[in-house]
């Protein structure tokens, strides 16, 4: 009887599975097969989709497709170039003096910089209930009661939607939202330093908010349009002006980020209605934009879906790029109307392995993971180097590599008495410097890259990665403290050189020359997961090469940050991802007045060097050019000599994608690349069928095994029944 | 009976308060409100003001357990502990540290968790009981011996290996089911097949052995001998008498677990990418999202207590001699 | 400089207790009788032999020291000690420990598992599988000699193993022959046929199998990485051997740490009743009702924070990792004592009503005396069974907890951390399978032996307490 059950189960299983079509393991609904849908994944659930709060790459994956700031980066050109997105042109900053008269940019009388932005007319928002109007022209869903909301669980439950033309006012509204007392904009602090009157505006809003709270309406909508913001001015229906204190040439880059995207006042008011937040109907969850896509499904546990925005104005595919782009076929679609793909399905993939395996089975179109999680998510091949293995080439998988605008490093805390550089005694400073240099040589980042990053990185010669102005390739760009130029490539100095430096530093053989005590250094890291052990071992091995004993202290991220903030860490591992492609965004990591421990700035190593700080103040405001390069070179020389970091590596981004994906070029600044991409769904369908043919013999084998296992039982049963019969 | 249930429910209140106090202390030692704020506000450009604002907004700027500055009862009530725990008792979980509604999240994730746990539970019960009956039938033969050996061997394999191995072979190498993911409705079958199968197989060893001993104990009893002496066939004895009587310990053992099925299974859900409560819990632990963990602990405790109560009730159902007072 | 880590101290305390208990049992016939029944069980004794091998490895790994640093030339004073803590096992396995490669290599390989770009003498570059620095480094011409060499070493190892197994058997038989006053052959036959009371044949057979497995491994380990190497080139055999101690510590110290509480509270609750009973019941119901994974997570995170904020508490990384291991044991103990406590309470409730306890009460014996002299000895069998049964569950639980990230310190080598890293390797192309298989095999054998042994103990001491559910933690493993 049991056999019957087993067999029945098995048969049912087979029948059930064969119902799924020729491939059994398709994780998507069968009716979606062959459609113009791009499949991707996300590992971390996005925390914020509100453009004023969102600041991470995972979130930009969605937001950048929906929101359109005035500027964007050119998709193909390198170095990264700003081009208009909704603006007519890239605004030219106008420098004025205190009285508002135009003055040259290098004049000492410069008091403000004006950015005049003109946006294109005729741009429409995506369909959204916030814009829906009744026959009387009144907004339909702006006076919702609890009753109206009873059966509403998502935006799709609103029967009507509408749209509206994009105006300059929407941009101003968003800038005001930076100072919103109930939102946390990560850039508010920085922007309040620059945008005229933002601080005062924030105070006024706070007062208004308090007044509302006092009136018992804590969560009532705060109308930002009523209070004026001095630094932003509406100059026409389609134009506005931003006033910046002093000069801040990097401001243009911020205009390409979601912090400066438009937010329609209707949406803000719509979501602020009582009862909406309880149903997760908030701007932080459902973005409203003018971009090529709109977020139609937001289920951060399982999937997020972007669909083509029917009101999208249609941008044209760029017609020029880098030289090699034409050969790579990236210009074939020049002039065609964007976007190409109808729908993008992002599935939540928490674990790296399923992600990778599904990619190999053709269920993800590319393994485009953010550089942070790539390492754990994808193991390409045991072979370290860039390149796809023969099996993958056979599958038509292609590889795009590009050096990211990021850097990973070991920082030496400047405040530390052993490795830091803040000692009063010049001799002690010199000793510590030698020690840092010795360690910098001994830390074999080439090996690190090959073991842990699958070769995805280039050893750093300084903080500035390639592709950013100020980076120097070749002989002139190497770090002479750590590298020699041999032949046509940099070569890390020998361990002998490091040991010699260590002797000079007063630690021959890793022992204090005076006391004979071994030198013990402490490394703080956030690597503490069970999978991080190899890395910890590797760190220890590097220091052991100099006979220095390294104590690795793995802590959780909070504790780590706290230590760094207090300046209590000695050596620590960290990284930096650029906000915008300007050297200032890397050089400020060493700026004394931005020391983390003293001023809560981004200079986590707390490095200070008056000469460097002076140069930094100069370089900050300069236009790119030979003069700027010369100063940056001097700053690099100082950093390399002082070695406040052991410059690690600039992670290379790999993105693997299947042969049916076209127009893919990694761009570390622009996150709105989806609109350029194209897929060949029919080819994908064919490949999937070939790669996922179910293997059936194990089912047969299992059935046979079960039968074999059951046989003795059946025999035993018979025998027993017979013996009973006889007795 | 009703009085008994009410008394048991009242008894649950001090337990739940204790649970709350314990988790609260444990987690606040780990995670100060400052830590939570920093965790949520992200990595770049976080200012102390932003942290203060975040805390004030979520009510984390009050003292933990005792508010010296407040008046009268406010000394106790105007604290983080009071404000954050009392609402739990009416199942108002509030918002997670990332601002999302926990109650909504739990309702969303309950489905997928149950979709794995319930079939796995029922199928597991069925398979192990039939297997155990089989072994009991062939007791003291080489079949029984090897069956038990197999059970012990299966018990000795870490569940991690079942999952890793199953996923690797069935999904990756044989392409029989999707590797991970979840879909609602009828589509869910494809995704659930392997996780359910794995949880059943992983549980076979220990449960079969446990049920087998129960059966053997029952078979040794006098009434079974009497039944056999009456000339009943071995089949009839096993099914009509032994199974029926052994069901009491089996059921009462199983009933405790039923409410906890809601909690989902941590490992299976995270390996197979199923958006259930188990993976919610793991996420919350990793993100140190105290609000979520506290809610899950609370629900877990409530369910556990419910399980105990159900067990007692099930005694009376299967065995009319038991009276609750 | 010898170092005694906290867990070492507890391990040795446990060994001392075991020896003490041995003497205690030896003087009491009724206890000895139960242990004899354990000795009769063939599966029990065979698995005990295997366990003994594991325990030997674990004990060796519990003798820690800090190596003395080399003398500084030209200096005579103040030689420091390294901050690295090693164990006797490390010293024994020195070649394995220090013979690291660059990255993955397959079992018994002579070349790396990954291709590398090397520069040829003429300046051009090519990609080849480089030779390993240690594995098979003695071979001149690995393509030709490898097979021969491996075979020769295997045979050599087997021969040694056979020799060792025979020698040991001979010693046992000789001793038995002297004791029983029988001839050599007769003794051998008795043992072989299993006619002895103590299951000598099982012990000898298990030992022979162990030696036949260990012999070739030892012999091959001299020249190769028998189980390959991991991502940073560490020998996998070394890692698996190091994992054993972690598993044993978790399995034993946890129960050891919770025993006093469980026993004391259980007996007191059962014997005293009243509000004490209510309080203790409240305590364990509350603890029980918190999902144990969450409780463990919270506690482990808390301990971790304490360790993180006080780096000065610990001189070395090993001590820090050890503190976390100990904390994990204690935490697991806290979550698992409730089951035993409840059992003991129920048993005490029964015992309390027995005549001899009533009699003692009538004679005016104090409550603590009754509990200590009359009740405690009569519940010890439950305690013993609980201890042996919990062991395997805890070893399994460690792996799961480490997977979730709330297990041992990442620098501690354990089955959990091994599985976790090995899991990622399955996604590699070509697949790296050996670490997973090695961890699986060792863990399986350890847990299987523990399960079989605990069965034997349970059958011998109390055939009725059949399937007490293992600690709550163990249930989570299926979760």
């Amino acid at each position: 009887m049991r056999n019957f059950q087993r067999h029945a189960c098995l048969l049912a299983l087979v029948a059930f599975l064969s119902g799924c079509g020729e491939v059994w393991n398709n994780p998507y609904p069968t009716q979606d097969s062959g459609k113009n849908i791009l499949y991707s994944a996300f590992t971390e659930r996005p925390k914020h989709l509100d453009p004023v709060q969102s600041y991470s790459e995972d979130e930009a994956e969605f937001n950048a497709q929906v929101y359109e700031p005035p500027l964007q980066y050119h998709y193909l050109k390198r170095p990264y170039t700003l081009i208009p997105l909704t603006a007519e042109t890239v605004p030219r900053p106008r420098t004025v003096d205190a009285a508002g008269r135009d003055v040259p940019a290098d004049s000492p009388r410069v008091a403000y910089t004006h950015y005049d932005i003109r946006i294109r007319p005729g741009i429409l928002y995506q369909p959204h209930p916030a814009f829906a109007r009744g026959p009387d022209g009144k907004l339909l869903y702006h006076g919702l009661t609890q009753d109206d909301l009873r059966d509403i669980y998502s935006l799709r439950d609103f029967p009507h939607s509408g749209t509206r033309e994009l105006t300059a006012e929407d941009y101003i509204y968003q800038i005001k939202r930076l100072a919103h007392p109930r939102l946390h904009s990560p850039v508010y602090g920085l922007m309040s330093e620059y945008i005229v009157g933002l601080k005062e505006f924030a105070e006024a809003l706070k007062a208004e908010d308090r007044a509302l709270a006092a009136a018992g309406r804590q969560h009532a909508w705060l109308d930002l349009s009523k209070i004026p913001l001095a630094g932003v001015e509406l100059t026409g229906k389609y134009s506005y002006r931003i006033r910046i204190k002093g000069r801040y040439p990097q401001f243009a880059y911020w205009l390409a980020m979601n912090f400066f995207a438009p937010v329609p006042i209707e949406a803000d008011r719509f979501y602020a209605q009582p009862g909406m937040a309880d149903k997760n109907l908030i701007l932080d969850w459902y973005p409203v934009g003018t971009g090529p896509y709109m977020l139609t499904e937001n289920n951060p546990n399982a999937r997020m879906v972007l669909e083509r925005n029917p009101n999208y104005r249609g941008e044209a595919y760029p017609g020029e790029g880098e030289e090699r782009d034409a050969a790579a076929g990236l210009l074939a679609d020049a002039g065609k109307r964007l976007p190409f793909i109808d729908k993008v399905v992002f599935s939540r993939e928490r674990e790296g392995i399923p992600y990778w395996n599904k990619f190999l089975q053709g269920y993800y179109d590319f393994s485009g993971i953010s550089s942070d999680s790539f390492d754990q998510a994808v193991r390409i091949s045991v072979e370290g180097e860039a390149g796809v293995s023969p099996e993958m080439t056979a599958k038509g998988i292609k590889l795009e590599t590009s050096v990211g605008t990021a850097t990973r490093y070991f920082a030496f805390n400047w405040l530390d008495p052993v490795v830091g550089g803040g000692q009063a005694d010049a001799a002690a400073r010199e000793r510590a410097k030698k020690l840092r240099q010795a360690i910098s040589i001994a830390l074999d980042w080439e090996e690190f890259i090959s073991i842990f990053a699958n070769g995805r990185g280039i050893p750093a010669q300084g903080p500035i990665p390639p592709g950013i102005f100020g980076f120097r390739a070749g002989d002139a760009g190497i770090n002479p403290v750590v590298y020699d130029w041999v032949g046509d490539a940099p070569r890390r100095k020998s361990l002998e050189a490091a040991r010699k430096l260590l002797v000079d530093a007063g630690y021959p053989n890793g022992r204090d020359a005076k006391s004979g005590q071994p030198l013990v250094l402490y490394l703080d890291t956030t690597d503490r997961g069970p999978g991080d052990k190899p890395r910890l071992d590797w760190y220890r091995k590097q220091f052991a090469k100099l006979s220095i004993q390294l104590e690795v202290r793995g802590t959780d991220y909070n504790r780590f940050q706290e230590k760094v903030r207090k300046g209590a860490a000695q050596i620590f591992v960290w990284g930096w991802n650029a906000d915008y492609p300007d050297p200032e965004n890397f050089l400020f990591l060493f700026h004394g007045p931005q020391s983390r421990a003293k001023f809560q700035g981004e200079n986590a190593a707390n490095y200070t060097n008056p000469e460097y700080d002076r140069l930094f103040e100069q370089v900050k405001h300069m236009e790119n050019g030979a003069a700027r390069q010369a100063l940056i070179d001097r700053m690099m020389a100082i950093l390399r000599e002082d070695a406040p970091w052991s410059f690690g590596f600039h992670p290379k981004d790999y993105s693997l994608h299947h042969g049916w994906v076209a127009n893919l070029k990694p761009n570390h600044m622009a996150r709105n690349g989806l609109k350029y991409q194209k897929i060949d769904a029919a080819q994908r369908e064919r490949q999937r069928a070939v790669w996922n043919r179910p293997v059936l013999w194990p089912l047969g084998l299992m059935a046979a095994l079960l039968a074999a296992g059951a046989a003795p039982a059946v025999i035993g049963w018979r025998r027993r029944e017979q013996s009973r019969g006889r007795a | 009976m009703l009085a008994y249930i009410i008394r048991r429910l009242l008894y649950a209140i001090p337990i739940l308060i204790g649970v709350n106090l314990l988790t609260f202390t444990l987690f606040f030692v780990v995670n100060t409100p400052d830590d939570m704020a920093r965790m949520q506000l992200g990595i770049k450009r976080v200012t102390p003001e932003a942290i203060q604002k975040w805390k004030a907004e979520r009510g984390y700027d009050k003292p933990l357990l005792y508010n010296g500055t407040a008046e009268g009862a406010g000394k106790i009530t105007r604290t983080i502990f009071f404000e954050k725990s009392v609402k739990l008792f009416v199942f108002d979980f509030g918002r997670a540290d990332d601002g999302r509604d926990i109650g909504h999240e739990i309702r969303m994730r309950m489905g997928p968790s149950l979709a794995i746990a319930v079939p796995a539970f029922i199928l597991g019960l069925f398979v192990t009981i039939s297997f155990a009956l089989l072994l009991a039938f062939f007791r003291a033969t080489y079949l029984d011996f090897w069956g038990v050996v197999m059970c012990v061997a299966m018990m000795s394999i870490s569940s991690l290996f079942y999952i890793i191995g199953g996923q690797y072979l069935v999904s990756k190498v044989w392409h029989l089911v999707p590797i991970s993911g979840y879909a609602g409705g009828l589509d869910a079958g494809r995704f659930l097949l392997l996780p359910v199968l794995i949880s059943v197989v992983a549980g076979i060893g220990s449960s079969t052995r446990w049920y087998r001993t129960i059966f053997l104990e029952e078979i040794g009893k006098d009434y079974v001998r009497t039944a056999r002496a009456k000339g009943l066939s071995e089949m009839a004895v096993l099914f009509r008498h032994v199974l029926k009587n052994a069901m009491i310990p089996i059921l009462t053992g199983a009933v405790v677990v039923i409410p906890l099925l809601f909690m989902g299974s941590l490992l299976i859900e995270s390996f197979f990418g199923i958006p259930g409560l188990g993976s919610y819990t793991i996420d919350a632990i990793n993100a140190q999202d105290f609000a979520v963990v506290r809610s899950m602990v609370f629900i877990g405790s409530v369910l556990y207590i419910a399980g105990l109560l159900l067990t007692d009730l099930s005694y009376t159902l299967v065995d009319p001699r038991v009276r609750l007072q | 400089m010898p170092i005694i880590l906290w867990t070492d101290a507890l391990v040795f305390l446990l060994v001392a207790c075991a020896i003490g208990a041995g003497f205690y049992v030896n003087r009491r016939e009724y206890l000895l009788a139960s242990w004899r029944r354990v000795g009769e069980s063939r599966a029990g004794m065979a698995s005990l032999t295997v366990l003994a091998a594991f325990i030997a490895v674990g004990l060796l790994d519990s003798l820690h020291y800090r190596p003395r640093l080399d003398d500084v030339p030209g200096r005579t004073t103040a030689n420091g000690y390294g901050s690295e803590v090693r164990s006797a096992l490390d010293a024994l396995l020195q070649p394995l420990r220090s013979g690291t490669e660059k990255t993955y290599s397959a079992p018994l390989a002579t070349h790396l598992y990954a291709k590398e770009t090397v520069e040829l003498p003429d300046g051009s570059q090519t990609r080849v599988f480089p030779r390993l620095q240690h594995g098979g480094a003695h071979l001149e011409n690995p393509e030709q000699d490898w097979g021969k060499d491996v075979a020769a070493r295997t045979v050599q190892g087997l021969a040694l193993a056979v020799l060792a197994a025979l020698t040991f058997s001979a010693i046992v038989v000789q001793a038995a022959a002297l004791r029983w006053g029988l001839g050599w052959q007769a003794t051998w036959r008795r043992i072989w046929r299993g006619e002895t009371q103590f299951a000598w044949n099982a012990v000898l057979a298990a030992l022979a199998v162990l030696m036949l497995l260990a012999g070739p491994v030892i012999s091959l380990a001299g020249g190769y990485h028998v189980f390959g190497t991991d991502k940073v080139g560490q020998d996998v055999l070394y890692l698996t051997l190091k994992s054993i101690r972690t598993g044993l510590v978790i399995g034993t110290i946890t129960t050891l740490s919770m025993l006093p509480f469980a026993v004391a509270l259980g007996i007191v609750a059962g014997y005293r009743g009243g509000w004490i009973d209510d309080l203790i019941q409240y305590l364990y119901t509350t603890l029980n009702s918190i999902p144990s994974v969450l409780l463990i997570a919270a506690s482990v995170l808390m301990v971790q924070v304490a360790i993180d904020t006080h780096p000065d508490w610990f001189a070395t990384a090993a001590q820090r990792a050890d503190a976390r291991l100990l904390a994990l044991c204690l935490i697991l103990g806290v979550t698992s004592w409730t089951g035993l406590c409840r059992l003991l309470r129920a048993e005490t409730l029964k015992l309390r009503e027995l005549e001899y306890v009533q009699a003692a009460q009538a004679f005016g014996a104090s409550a603590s005396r009754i509990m200590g002299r009359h009740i405690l000895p009569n519940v010890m069998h439950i305690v013993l069974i609980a201890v042996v049964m919990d062991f395997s569950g805890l070893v399994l639980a460690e792996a799961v907890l480490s997977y979730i990230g709330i297990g041992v310190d990442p620098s501690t080598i354990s089955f959990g951390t091994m599985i976790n890293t090995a899991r990622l390797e399955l996604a590699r192309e070509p697949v790296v399978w050996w670490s997973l298989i090695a961890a699986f095999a060792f863990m399986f054998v350890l847990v299987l032996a523990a399960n079989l042994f605990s069965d034997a103990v349970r059958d011998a001491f109390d055939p009725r307490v059949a399937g007490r559910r293992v600690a709550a933690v163990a249930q989570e493993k299926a979760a």
Side-chain angles (χ1 to χ4, degrees), chain B:
Chain B
M1 179 90 155
L2 191 66
Y4 175 81
I5 294 178
I6 290 173
R7 214 181 54 210
R8 285 291 296 262
L9 288 179
L10 286 179
Y11 184 57
I13 292 174
I15 292 180
L16 289 177
I17 292 177
V19 166
N20 250 320
L21 203 62
L22 193 67
T23 43
F24 187 82
T25 0
L26 276 179
F27 270 92
F28 265 107
V29 174
V30 178
N31 233 6
T32 62
D34 280 44
D35 290 339
M36 293 192 261
R38 225 166 286 122
M39 199 85 178
Q40 291 306 321
L41 290 177
I43 301 165
K44 284 176 169 180
R45 303 185 197 275
V46 177
T47 57
E49 294 83 61
I51 290 175
Q52 280 311 319
K53 202 161 91 176
W54 189 92
K55 277 161 56 184
E57 221 164 71
R58 285 169 175 70
Y60 283 125
D61 54 346
K62 302 194 180 68
L64 288 182
L65 288 171
Y66 181 78
N67 190 344
T69 59
E71 306 268 312
K75 283 190 194 302
I76 302 294
T77 55
R78 291 183 61 80
T79 56
I80 301 182
F81 174 67
F82 189 83
E83 294 189 350
K84 300 280 166 194
S85 335
V86 167
K87 282 187 182 163
L88 288 180
F89 283 88
V90 289
F91 293 93
D92 174 2
F93 302 113
R95 295 184 168 274
D97 287 347
D98 63 4
R100 304 211 160 152
D101 185 17
I102 299 177
H104 175 78
E105 198 83 354
I106 288 176
R107 280 192 298 279
M108 295 269 294
R109 287 168 173 269
M110 218 159 66
S113 277
L114 286 178
I116 292 191
V118 170
F121 175 73
I122 295 173
L123 201 65
L125 213 58
F126 175 75
V127 169
T128 44
I129 288 181
S130 20
F131 203 43
L133 262 182
L134 198 72
L135 292 184
F137 180 81
F138 288 108
R139 62 193 171 277
T141 66
Y142 69 100
L143 262 178
D144 178 35
F145 175 77
W146 285 109
V148 173
V149 167
M150 215 177 81
C151 286
V152 178
M154 287 181 81
M155 270 170 73
S156 308
I157 297 174
S158 168
S159 50
L160 285 172
F161 287 112
Y162 285 111
I163 301 178
I164 296 173
Q167 202 174 27
Y168 182 74
L169 289 178
V170 179
S171 307
K172 173 149 193 224
V173 181
W174 298 334
H175 306 139
L176 292 180
V177 291
I179 289 173
S180 68
Y182 185 74
L186 275 177
D187 257 353
R190 269 180 300 156
F191 298 100
L192 296 181
L193 199 66
L194 187 61
V196 167
L197 216 63
I198 286 178
S199 20
V200 169
V201 171
I204 283 184
S206 53
S207 310
T208 304
R209 228 163 64 109
W210 158 236
Y211 295 150
R212 174 182 162 271
T213 47
I214 293 178
F215 286 137
L216 287 187
E217 214 166 284
E218 210 62 37
I219 286 176
K221 286 189 178 156
D222 286 342
Y223 74 91
V224 178
R225 239 171 276 153
T226 321
R228 230 181 262 137
K230 261 188 345 192
L232 279 180
S233 78
E234 187 68 20
M235 278 277 272
V237 173
L238 267 185
F239 278 94
R240 237 178 275 157
H241 295 277
V242 174
L243 181 61
K244 203 173 142 205
N245 283 296
M247 274 326 259
I248 299 176
I250 290 176
L251 271 189
T252 47
V255 163
V256 179
V257 214
I258 289 176
L260 288 173
L261 294 180
F262 281 92
M263 298 290 286
S265 57
L266 300 180
L267 285 185
I268 295 257
E269 283 182 18
S270 73
F271 266 99
F272 289 97
I274 287 156
L277 289 173
S279 54
Y280 190 44
T281 315
I282 286 216
D283 278 354
I285 292 176
N286 288 336
Q288 302 188 7
D289 192 327
F290 173 61
V292 175
V293 175
R294 196 185 46 212
S295 309
M296 292 309 291
V297 168
F298 186 80
I299 296 177
S301 317
V302 169
L303 292 175
Y304 175 80
I305 293 168
L308 291 184
L309 188 60
L310 274 183
T311 313
D312 287 351
L313 296 182
S314 65
Y315 272 124
T316 60
L317 291 182
V318 287
D319 189 350
R321 284 168 304 178
V322 179
R323 278 279 161 77
L324 299 174
Q325 41 220 234

